[in-house]
Amino acid sequence: MRRAAAKALRTTIQCTVRGLRVNRRGSVLPSRTAAYARYLSSSSTPPARSNGTSSPSKPDRVLGEPLQSSMYFRRASFALVSALVGYGAWYSYNGDSTDAVSRAYSTSASSSANAAAPTRSVLVIGADELQTGTFVGEGPISKTTDNDGRRVLEMLTPEQATEKLRKSEQSYFVNRGQGVLRYDMVQLPSNDPIEDDHAEKIVEMPSSRTADGSGSSDWMFWGVFDGHSGWTTSAKLRQTLISFVARELNDTYKAASGLTPSQEAVESAIKTGFLRLDDEIVHQSVQKVLQSNNKIVGAEMLAPALSGSCALLSFYDSRSKLLRVACTGDSRAVLGRRSSSGKWTATALSVDQTGSNPDEAARLRKLHPGEEHVVRNGRVLGGLEPTRAFGDASYKWTRDIADKLRQQFFGRTVSPLLKTPPYVTAEPVVTTTKIEPEKGDFVVMATDGLWEMLTTEEVVGLVGKWIESQASSTTNSQFDSVWSRVFGSQSAKLPVEPSQGAKGGDADGQKTPIRLRQWGVSPDEMDRFVVKDKNVATHLIRNALGGKNQEQVSALLTLPSPYSRRYRDDLTVQVIFFGYSEKTGEVLVNNEATAEANKGALKAKLPAIMVVLDNHEYTTEEEKRLKEDRNRIKYWKKWGPYVSERQWATVREDYSADGDAWSHFTHDDARSRAFRWGEDGIAGVCDTHGFQNIAFAFWNEKDPFLKERLFGLSNPQGNHGESLKEAHFHLDNTPHSYMKYLYKYPQNAFPYEDLLKENARRGKEDKEYQLLDTGIFEEDRYWDIFIETAKEDDDPEELLFRVTAWNRGPDPAPLHIIPLVWFRNTWAWGREAVDKKPSIQVAGENLVKTKHHSLGERNFLLSPSPGVGPSGEDVEPKLMFTENDTNYELLYGGENPQPYVKDAFHRYIVDGEKGAVNPAQIGTKCAAQFAFNEDGGVKPGECAVVRFRISRKQDTYLDEEEFDDIIERKREEADEFYYHISPLPMADDLRNIQRQAFAGMMWCKQHYLFIWDEWANGDPSQPPPPPDRKGIRNSQWKHLHCDDILSMPDSWEYPFFAAWDTSFHCITLAMIDPDFAKKQLDLFTREWYCHPNGQLPAYEWNFGDVNPPVHAWATFRVFKIERKMYGRQDLDFLERVFQKLLMNFTWWVNRKDVDGKNVFEGGFLGLDNIGLFNRSEPLPTGGTLEQADSTGWMAFYCLNMLNIALELAKHRRIYEDIASKFFEHFILISDAMTFRMGQKDEKSLWNDEDGFYYDAISWGGPWIQQLPVRSLVGLIPLYATLTLEPELINKLPNFKKRVDWFIENRCDVAERTMHSIAKRGKGNRILLSLVSKDRLVRILERMLNEDEFFSPHGIRSMSKHHKDHPFSMEVNGQTFKVGYVPGDSDSGLFGGNSNWRGPIWLCVNFLLVESLQRFYLFFGQQLQVECPVGSGDMMHLGHVSEEIQHRLQHLMARGDDGRRSINAGNDTLDFDPNWRDYLWFYEFFDGDSGRGLGATHQCGWTGLIARMIHDTGVNCRLPQTPRTPSVGMSHYFDDIFHRHAGGMHTPKTPGSPNAPRLRRSSTSRSIAARSDFDGHANGYDEDEEEADDDVMTRRGSVMNLHTPARMREKAEADAHLHTYISQQLERVKLEQGTDQEYADGEEFEAKP
């Protein structure tokens, strides 16, 4: 594309420099006359030369008159070029970074001319002509230009020219069976940098979205983008245009309700996508810039608007076989189709939209009457050639906008011709063509540079000739057989039909090949073409440049920018071949037609195959990494945050006689005693087997020991059980390319003793004494230590770590940052050969080498840190080494086998014991001490920075600039990844909560090692365990062998798995990493976890304890979430787990229903102290406790197994019988819950007077006594709910037959429980439920009563009724009592660290929400209840479920008073800018106030808040805000819409406000080592759109907050967010009084 004659605005933008040119100048010689250039030397022997000059020989013949063009080729005389040799000077040409051809020759004063001397070709570039010539000899070219300004270059050889031509070629086989065989692409730059760009995407459409539902189809997109006045606009189109168009198309197809939309509708959608993107580029960006009032921001954001680009986009729908070509500008597409004669016909699929096109000129004159210069000299306003283009804002902005920009930013006056903009539009002209894949159609798409050289017929003919050449070849390409079958054999000439009529030429808007005239080539010279390339796009460009005329090809490729721009434009060519190939679903790199240098990168970055679900595409970089990990291409999850935060006092490390794990291995012991089964640390990272660990230690020069691990109280020490006493936050984590962790470290001595004594003094009725209560953070005397970990783009083994510690206090303060690298001790137990012991030793300056027999060798490479004192000297790391072995001498008074033990670094740094570390600098544990203590330490408000990497590379220094770039890029990719998970607009605070919930889930993944045999029997080299130890716990679990990465309930308090917790974890995990979620559920059913009798292990304190049976529910939910969000249906996973759960279900029936009454016991079932008695022990009353919750859980289990069986039966009919079994079993359980033996007047678990379910004590026969405690026990029966779709039942005849038989033959039971069979619900559905409609309403009257269960923050675990009406029972002189306790437990049951007598628990609330949504699927809006009771507000059950979710979100969401309920009124947590945006994810919450209680990092099930925000965050009101009727909530959505209409940015990584810059060391070897880095070490700005004058500099580019990548992300967000917002608005406005589908049954039930 030729540039516009003038730029309307001259900006301050700093453009990227792509490849610097450095030319050395030779001595200046006398110039030769221009006459020499007009002759062609015919002599093969050059004339003699003397004194460095040459005499011209008389030419044998003279060229004819020059062509009437200012630029053309001529043959220069030898005398001219030889005169440029000599005087000891030499010429060296260095090309750009992509095609550097550098030649330097030895000096020669003279050269004899003979035939044996080397001959070389040169190129002479004049002001108006291009000349070639040759000279003989080895003398160098003396200078780049002569006095006439001509530049002289040595020409590329034919081999070098071919290499340059093929530099960027790409080719792909499309084995998707959707009508496309292959496509080739190549680019050739002329501008520097190239202004062209391209994009290709395949969008897989699920069968549910296709017109006939018969199977998935592909939408395939190809685009070429021809930039002008810069590359930024075309780059933006590459990233965003296809996505914009795909979303509009998706809406159009979706609106067609399964039918194929009309041609007009599809073309309109494409045009809308184009226009919306251009509006974002041109108009929305300028509004942001005017608001920012910052020149740097303005220059970056307006770059795509100020430059411009034409766009040519093809959209192929494989189902309809229709190809739509949308053209904005003068790039061109042409269809090649074989005619009956066997030749190819050329059909133009686009028309050049330029001022030379009469139709376009007429359109503009009509739009701008009276403006005689609207089209002048074929250009818009005499300047811009294309009449349609993206960007080119100077032709689109109003004069008012242009004047504002000029006044605030740029100094150029607006053109006087600008009167009635816009003059240029991005609206494309769209054509529709039916493709015939079976005939071998092909399409060529190219920027206008190609069409300046070749006609459409020549292009089609050249492709046809190339096809014939390929069809006759004898290569072994996998493509050959298909190719020959589709395209056939060859002919002699260009096999193309001559054009018919007036097609082509300027008359119809198509350009003629002007370059042929310029080069002096006759267009009738048909013998000028050649076939030499395997890539057809390369083949076209070769022939465009000269074909058989190799000299011309070499000359045009030799020309550097900007000279090349006079003779050719940037070239981008794509060729798409249609046809049918093997359907493997893959897109493969065609190696023989792809440049060697590109093959590796292309294999890692094949064209994206996206799944469009709910109008959204998942194609982020993190998604691609997850796919590579899933397909075992790269092991991205090998290294992760798998180091526990507490290994001490775990059951695995307990070798005591009495099983007192808390006392046997204490926090103090951990400093000196080697762990047997794992490791712990702060922000620790390790491999999947925990062999090599990386973590951090800190010291403030006041603590009595190094801070190597987090501190907390053991269970006996805490007044409410074990409790972490630290302040740390999990801020970010993807799985696992980027991780971020915040540790708040006091500057004064850590209050260890104060925490121990005060908590010991307090009782069960008192609150816990926390670290914040000690006053240690007063005056902000603490460090905010941010720890980031990232992996390189293409290598999951390359780990980068950056620690940034900010002094928040008022005074300078010292800090020691100590990265630790060590191996888990596997050598001291007598189970591993001595020669397998790993090692760590120094290998150079700031370089350590680690070696492990399994992991291999790695380097621990550190960079000096920028100093903090007046000296300005860098802080160098001090390396220390020791062994990860127990200090027997200190702990037990024994003798150490060797002198260097685990606590050496503490003794060296804190105690000053210099002999504690190994002077030989070798061991199994290494520390690198960075002491920031010069001149009192780090100044207030400043930071200390540490950078290092764990690498397999052999680098000896760390490039800090590149290092920081990688971390910043990974952070941005994490933003994009999580934004794609939840793209709906919501409050920033909710998005922040969700992001940290996801992060916590990832940080709670830990390596768990436990082998029962080794644990129980001890190790060969250690003393045997006490003999009584085996019988204390877990003696029946001898099969356990765990060595896996597991999701832990809490990173510190519960560093061991819990089976039912894991099920809830997997719901949230499935949103971001379904493969990991499935692996967790699968593991617990495997033979090395699951007991041979079918029981699933509970947790390590007692594997045999009984947890609620939620595994089947989680399995089916994960299966459905993956299918809905990612378009993958893993039936193998579903079937495999289901088969194992059949054993577990049998175990439940046999062990927990001992009398076979279908009424179950079960024990405590995870609800610790909820009952009157300890439900895990025999009743003091005698008899058996029949539990409403246990029976409810089993009915719930039954229905989930039924659901899975129905899903599997859709694929394997054998599962219909199993589905029938679970259907009947559920009916019997349902009947037993109410009627027990079916006798009249008998008592059951249902109390009709109270309208509630209760536990009951049974002494056999009719003797039963209910325990009238209104607790969660009576709500759990609501979980057992399932809706059956009639379409599904009709597709499963055997199941339907069995259901009908049961109704007919067990009518006694059916009449009592199957009310929904006779009366169908919404959508003719069938309801299976433990509760009837009447009972449901009665239970909800209590559950939604704010004086009972309904808290402002969710559903309480016990009714508030018992606050004033506790229930008690006296048994054998002992009083047992249950009352409402909203906060911490007031008893010691189950350790006393959890409470189910009033607090709110998210896990059980989540199941209640889902149950209500299932009920809504059946009852619809016909069933409405008062919510809350007494309010007068009537809601259907869908709204009730939403209200509960909103109240749960109000636990954490900031209210209009700026407070979060979980913070219990703490001003620091609520208002301090360095605390208020960080959250702890508590285990449970006060039933009245919402105060956070229990464990602080229980992301396991409290992480479910992320799912609730995903589902309902879009319309969640502020806490304390009265609920507004649905129709009145539209103002909320309007507010969101307007706040995001200007461009929705991707979510912020959690962090605090902007802080001073993050510096680099002065010794860094990178080019920009001393430049400052605008690193948001504390996270993002409060408002990302505010200006920031600082920029981050890196090689060849300038980046700041508004990089093109960031702007592309915002554009991605805008496009689909507006659609989502409008859909939500409609839902909210219309759902009152309509019967619309509120709940999404697709995620709960089996569907037909």
Side-chain angles (χ1 to χ4, degrees), residues 1272-1464:
L1272 186 63
V1273 165
L1275 300 179
I1276 286 175
L1278 296 180
Y1279 296 167
T1281 308
L1282 174 68
T1283 60
L1284 293 177
E1285 300 289 333
E1287 294 87 352
L1288 176 61
I1289 295 177
N1290 291 333
K1291 289 183 177 181
L1292 302 174
N1294 291 335
F1295 176 71
K1296 184 178 186 297
K1297 180 179 178 181
R1298 187 61 185 171
V1299 170
D1300 292 341
W1301 181 94
F1302 192 90
I1303 295 171
E1304 180 180 351
N1305 293 276
R1306 297 296 306 274
C1307 57
D1308 56 331
V1309 177
E1311 287 175 0
R1312 294 196 296 262
T1313 61
M1314 295 294 291
H1315 61 281
S1316 62
I1317 291 292
K1319 182 179 180 181
R1320 299 297 179 97
K1322 179 183 174 185
N1324 209 30
R1325 293 183 174 108
I1326 297 172
L1327 176 68
L1328 298 179
S1329 172
L1330 277 184
V1331 300
S1332 65
K1333 180 179 179 181
D1334 292 338
R1335 290 185 181 179
L1336 171 64
V1337 172
R1338 295 196 65 187
I1339 293 174
L1340 292 180
E1341 286 174 355
R1342 296 201 181 279
M1343 192 182 85
L1344 301 179
N1345 188 329
E1346 292 181 324
D1347 293 328
E1348 290 214 34
F1349 288 96
F1350 207 24
S1351 161
H1353 306 98
I1355 305 299
R1356 301 179 177 104
S1357 53
M1358 183 168 288
S1359 171
K1360 197 172 181 178
H1361 165 81
H1362 292 299
K1363 178 180 181 181
D1364 299 322
H1365 306 89
F1367 175 74
S1368 63
M1369 176 183 287
E1370 187 170 319
V1371 180
N1372 300 325
Q1374 183 178 359
T1375 300
F1376 295 87
K1377 180 180 178 181
V1378 171
Y1380 173 71
V1381 182
D1384 284 308
S1385 174
D1386 59 0
S1387 74
L1389 282 178
F1390 288 90
N1393 61 340
S1394 64
N1395 180 26
W1396 291 84
R1397 294 183 176 180
I1400 298 156
W1401 296 74
L1402 258 71
C1403 53
V1404 290
N1405 270 259
F1406 188 82
L1407 291 176
L1408 283 171
V1409 165
E1410 286 200 352
S1411 297
L1412 291 172
Q1413 290 172 342
R1414 288 189 177 95
F1415 280 120
Y1416 174 78
L1417 288 174
F1418 180 79
F1419 291 111
Q1421 300 208 28
Q1422 301 306 310
L1423 177 58
Q1424 300 207 3
V1425 296
E1426 192 177 25
C1427 180
V1429 172
S1431 68
D1433 289 339
M1434 302 301 292
M1435 301 184 193
H1436 61 64
L1437 300 189
H1439 272 157
V1440 174
S1441 73
E1442 187 178 76
E1443 176 66 14
I1444 295 172
Q1445 291 181 81
H1446 288 173
R1447 292 190 178 210
L1448 292 167
Q1449 291 169 52
H1450 295 169
L1451 285 164
M1452 300 182 183
R1454 188 181 287 124
D1456 54 8
D1457 59 356
R1459 292 193 180 276
R1460 303 184 194 276
S1461 296
I1462 59 172
N1463 292 337

Side-chain angles (χ1 to χ4, degrees), residues 606-624:
L606 287 171
I609 301 175
M610 306 178 296
V611 179
V612 178
L613 294 170
D614 288 341
N615 202 24
H616 189 51
E617 304 153 0
Y618 297 83
T619 57
T620 64
E621 291 301 315
E622 190 66 20
E623 272 290 332
K624 295 173 185 176

